[in-house]
Amino acid sequence: MNEHRNLTLNTPDCSISNHWCYTLSEQTCLGQLISIVHNNQNNATPVLKPLSQWAISAHNVNGFNDETKRKNLLTYIEVIEADIAIIIDTRLSEKNEIRLKNQITNYTLHSARPDTPARGVSVLIRKSLPFIVLNIEKDDETANYLFIEGEIYNRRINLLGVYGPNRDNPVFYRNMFDKLAANGAEFHLMLGDLNVTLNPELDNQNYQDENQNPEARAKILELMEHRNYHDPMRETSGNKKLWTWSSNQGPQKARLDNAICNHA
């Protein structure tokens, strides 16, 4: 899995915190499969492509109740031809979740929407993909995650969108990794804002205290090592410093958003 975008969209009409997009390479967990990918025409004949051209994007939106922001991001997702889009920190109200469903045409929407206007995770799956949703699990009380158990060509995949707690909570990440490995699925993929950096030396810049949430970080790294999970961005980019977040009020930058999978 290769990270091919690391950018910020910040226009007068759309202020989205973070955008990052991965494509599945032949070396990744899904690289052996063939994906049916849309060709931008409604009801058009699907085109067979290698899954190396299947894009999964993630967007940390800092709230998604503004109609203009929703329209701009949905346009952006179409422009980059994302096949699955993970949207983090949506804070969607019930009314605006319905509006979002009505705004999308080429995707199926799944959401974990909180009872209060905080957090929230949504997943858009392109309708033309041969992705069969078998089970969905979410926590509508805190809306920190959305877990989708799916199937592609009779091969099982667990997809997990995460917005991690902004406190040192190793139990939360243990639970997320347990979900990721559940049900005997062959492929595991977790994407989102972990709210903790995996390597402070490489992933933090201009922090007074780089060792924030140390127990959560230690648990994530322990589970990645023991269960043979991978950080594809770090494995493909080495020690290069890349940021997915930067402060509007200071010089701080960090790579808080990650993709973790069980095949390199």
Side-chain angles (χ1 to χ4, degrees), residues 109-213:
L109 173 69
H110 306 282
S111 290
R113 184 179 55 79
D115 295 330
T116 58
R119 301 187 171 274
V121 178
S122 293
V123 175
L124 301 181
I125 301 175
R126 191 172 287 280
K127 292 178 180 178
S128 60
L129 288 180
F131 189 101
I132 301 172
V133 175
L134 302 175
N135 183 51
I136 296 176
E137 181 182 334
K138 55 186 177 179
D139 182 355
D140 280 332
E141 182 177 352
T142 61
N144 281 111
Y145 72 88
L146 178 63
F147 173 66
I148 298 178
E149 179 188 351
E151 185 176 279
I152 306 173
Y153 300 117
N154 298 316
R155 304 179 76 174
R156 300 282 285 273
I157 175 173
N158 286 342
L159 179 65
L160 182 61
V162 174
Y163 185 23
N166 53 8
R167 63 186 187 279
D168 202 6
N169 187 350
V171 174
F172 172 84
Y173 295 100
R174 175 60 182 259
N175 291 339
M176 293 301 99
F177 276 88
D178 286 347
K179 294 181 189 302
L180 203 59
N183 308 317
E186 184 176 359
F187 307 123
H188 312 159
L189 181 60
M190 175 165 59
L191 302 98
D193 181 352
L194 301 184
N195 254 322
V196 59
T197 55
L198 301 183
N199 185 331
E201 183 177 346
L202 296 176
D203 297 337
N204 294 49
Q205 182 165 296
N206 299 318
Y207 275 70
Q208 291 184 350
D209 178 13
E210 293 187 345
N211 195 32
Q212 296 181 3
N213 299 336

Side-chain angles (χ1 to χ4, degrees), residues 33-49:
L33 303 178
I34 297 297
S35 173
I36 298 177
V37 182
H38 78 298
N39 63 4
N40 294 324
Q41 296 294 325
N42 291 332
N43 302 317
T45 301
V47 178
L48 289 174
K49 289 185 179 182

Side-chain angles (χ1 to χ4, degrees), residues 233-252:
M233 193 289 292
R234 186 56 65 204
E235 292 184 5
T236 56
S237 300
N239 292 334
K240 184 177 181 181
K241 293 190 174 184
L242 297 173
W243 324 114
T244 64
W245 172 86
S246 61
S247 173
N248 292 327
Q249 299 178 340
Q252 293 82 11

